[in-house]
Amino acid sequence: VKQAKQAGKPQVYEPREASAARRRFSIETELRRALDKDQLRLFYQPLIDLKTGKVSGFEALARWTHEDRGEISPNEFIPVAEESGLILQLGRWAMHKASQTLADWDSKIGQQLPLYVGVNLSAIQVARDDIAGMVSSALKSSGISGDRLTLELTESSIVQDPGRATRVFDALKALDATVAMDDFGTGYSSLAYLQRLPIDVLKIDRSFVSGMMVDPDSVAIVRAVLSLADALGMSTTAEGIETVELATTLAALGCSSGQGYYFAKPLEAEAALEYWASRNRG
Ligand code: C2E
Ligand code: MG
Ligand code: MG
Ligand code: MG
């Protein structure tokens, strides 16, 4: 804006900025309303065991179809939810919904399915919510056991307050849950935390995975993460597998599991269960 003003034509830039701010503000207002009216949905993206090709779990991902604006990406509304504090409500909703979906799948099939569900936790939740209390209440109301949950945390949840993060991670382990470090390699945390915190899974960020076919540096980074995980006794999940080549390459490099459009996009609960049934049984 400053530069534009100096150039003598502020109108060119200011309206666009003003409308971005307006959109952000109305997204916040409308997200609050959508949460209160229970209008968000949770989709489930299959996680595939790269050795066997079977579905081992699903990542729960929030979806919001706005009445007028249509589909709004989580990359837009999650940051707004974080800035406004609505992420606490959204996070509790996602945790309960995902646990209940797993319980519903079990009862539909008539057995405890060998599946886990991954739920994303924002750094804001780690900083401000009682995560362990929220998780145990979701376990209680759905009846599923803690070992069927994977909590996906990001490096930013450690950096702010490592002491608090340690207590949260330990509390999640005490509930038998699996702890995954999401978007690994994109944050600012120290490798020392990998040693200190009870982390079970490293999720390799999509930016490295999608780079693998064109960029030798991405391959080097993925290899390094895989061998680091192996040395520390952690398993690995690669995000953003879009081609069969990536799936076979990552499997050959020893990556334990993967998700991506090559296998399936995030699906509605019912379609996700059907995907599991056709892939694991038929
Ligand atoms: P994430 O946790 O890293 O989730 C993986 C994202 O990669 C998802 O985007 C998924 O749809 C996308 N993805 C998976 N495979 C592929 C692929 O092959 N190609 C491409 N292009 N994309 C792929 P999505 O659903 O748009 O979510 C974006 C981010 O929003 C998530 O990244 C997560 O950080 C956040 N998010 C979504 N739902 C929630 C939630 O319930 N709670 C919190 N705290 N964050 C959420
Ligand atoms: Mg995630
Ligand atoms: Mg991720
Ligand atoms: Mg990501």
Side-chain angles (χ1 to χ4, degrees), residues 58 105 108-109 113 115 268-278:
F58 291 89
W105 287 340
K108 223 175 196 172
I109 302 293
L113 301 175
L115 289 173
E268 269 177 297
E270 202 172 319
L273 184 60
E274 278 165 22
Y275 183 87
W276 168 80
S278 66

Side-chain angles (χ1 to χ4, degrees), residues 42 45 59-63 73-79 82 87 90-91 93-95 119-123 125 152 154 182-183 203 205-206 239-243 259-266:
L42 212 49
Q45 186 176 35
E59 177 176 3
L61 294 158
R63 291 291 177 266
S73 165
N75 293 317
E76 180 170 12
F77 70 76
I78 293 291
E82 290 179 327
I87 194 68
L90 193 158
W93 166 79
M95 182 68 64
V119 179
N120 290 288
L121 292 178
S122 155
Q125 291 175 273
E152 300 196 358
T154 57
D182 204 356
D183 304 330
K203 292 196 77 173
D205 192 63
R206 177 156 66 85
E239 301 180 333
I241 300 179
E242 293 191 352
T243 62
Q259 68 188 106
Y261 295 173
Y262 167 64
F263 299 112
K265 289 198 171 179

Side-chain angles (χ1 to χ4, degrees), residues 121 131-132 135 146 151 153 167-179:
L121 292 178
I131 301 262
V135 171
L151 287 325
L153 297 123
R167 290 190 295 278
V168 170
F169 283 44
D170 285 340
L172 292 173
K173 291 312 295 174
L175 294 169
D176 262 351
T178 300
V179 172

